[in-house]
Amino acid sequence: MAKTRGKKYQDALKKVEAKKQYALTDAVELVKDIDFANFDATIEVAFNLNVDTKQADQQLRGAVVLPNGTGKDQTVIVFAKGENAKAAQEAGADFVGDIDLVEKIQDGWLDFDVAIATPDMMPQVGRLGRVLGPKGLMPNPKTGTVTMDVAKAVAESKAGKVTYRTDRDGNVAVPFGKVSFDTDKLVENLKTIEDVVTKARPATVRGTYIKHASIASTFGPSVTLDLTDFSSAR
C-alpha cells in the first residue's frame, strides 16, 4: 500500500502547478516558500538523463565545487602517511591516519562525510570497499578523492564539493544548498551542477540528453525545471 503523505506535504503540493516547467529562479523561490521542515532543509536537484548505464562509457561519476558551498560542515578524513598526512592536517582534515584509521572503520566507526586517500594507501583502504562503497564514501580518482594533493582535496571538500553519479535508471541527484540560502546563490549553485553534468555527456549519447530535471527540499514536493532556462541546455 502506498504511503499517504501528511497534511503539510499536501498543502505544499497545492502550490505547485502539476504540469508547469518553472524557470530556475521561480522554481527555487517556490521550493523555499513551500518548505515546511522545522530545520534548515537541504535542496536537491535531480536530473533524468538519456543514458544507458549498462554501458560503461555512459556511467557518469564526478565532483564539483559549488561556488556558494552546501551549507553543511563536512567531516573529512584522510588516509595518508608522512608528509602527506601532515599536509592533510594543516589543510584542516578532521581525522588523518593510515592503517590505524582503516582498522577504526573496520571496527564500525563511520562518523564522517568525505574520505580522501593517497594512491599508496589504496591497497589498505580497499579492504573497506564493502563498508564504504554502499555509502558512497569510498575514495575514487573520478571524484578527486584519490590524490597526492590531499591539501587541495581537503580544502575543496570543506568549501562545498559535492559528488554526482548516475543510478541504474540514469538519474543524478545532487544537493546544492539550504533553504536559508539567498535565491541567487542557490541558482548559481544549480547552474554550476547542470553545467558539469552537461559537459560530462557521453559521446555515444544521441538525441536529448537531459530528459527531465526537478528540485525539492528534504520533505517538500518536487518542482519541475524549465530546461531551456539553463544557458548550456541540451
Side-chain angles (χ1 to χ4, degrees), residues 19-229:
K19 296 183 179 181
K20 181 174 179 177
Q21 296 180 349
Y22 288 81
L24 302 189
T25 298
D26 294 341
V28 168
E29 289 181 343
L30 178 57
V31 166
K32 285 163 60 71
D33 178 60
I34 63 178
D35 175 69
F36 54 86
N38 57 5
F39 57 90
D40 192 8
T42 294
I43 304 181
E44 183 177 85
V45 60
F47 297 102
N48 179 239
L49 306 179
N50 175 30
V51 295
D52 180 3
T53 55
K54 294 179 181 179
Q55 307 300 319
D57 66 339
Q58 294 192 27
Q59 297 173 8
L60 275 61
R61 185 169 188 174
V64 56
V65 178
L66 300 181
N68 302 297
T70 63
K72 178 181 179 181
D73 292 328
Q74 301 269 56
T75 298
V76 180
I77 69 169
V78 179
F79 300 96
K81 300 177 182 179
E83 289 301 312
N84 288 321
K86 181 180 179 181
Q89 291 173 333
E90 292 176 348
D94 297 282
F95 300 93
V96 181
D98 46 74
I99 192 64
D100 59 317
L101 192 52
V102 172
E103 292 173 348
K104 185 175 182 178
I105 293 171
Q106 286 178 322
D107 290 339
W109 181 74
L110 288 169
D111 192 17
F112 56 92
D113 303 297
V114 180
I116 297 165
T118 53
D120 60 297
M121 283 300 303
M122 285 310 293
Q124 288 75 39
V125 177
R127 305 176 194 173
L128 304 173
R130 292 184 178 180
V131 178
L132 301 184
K135 296 182 179 297
L137 294 172
M138 191 67 181
N140 188 295
K142 292 183 178 180
T143 58
T145 49
V146 175
T147 176
M148 290 299 292
D149 194 348
V150 291
K152 178 182 178 182
V154 170
E156 289 181 341
S157 294
K158 289 290 188 178
K161 184 178 183 178
V162 293
T163 60
Y164 64 88
R165 67 183 302 176
T166 45
D167 65 16
R168 64 181 182 180
D169 296 316
N171 299 308
V172 172
V174 190
F176 65 98
K178 297 286 188 177
V179 168
S180 62
F181 280 24
D182 291 340
T183 297
D184 59 343
K185 291 184 177 180
L186 286 167
V187 170
E188 185 179 12
N189 280 354
L190 178 56
K191 287 183 176 180
T192 298
I193 294 171
E194 186 274 340
D195 185 59
V196 168
V197 170
T198 295
K199 289 178 179 176
R201 174 179 179 148
T204 51
V205 169
R206 297 291 180 267
T208 300
Y209 175 49
I210 299 178
K211 298 191 293 184
H212 184 270
S214 62
I215 61 174
S217 60
T218 304
F219 297 135
S222 64
V223 174
T224 300
L225 301 178
D226 181 355
L227 296 178
T228 64
D229 204 30

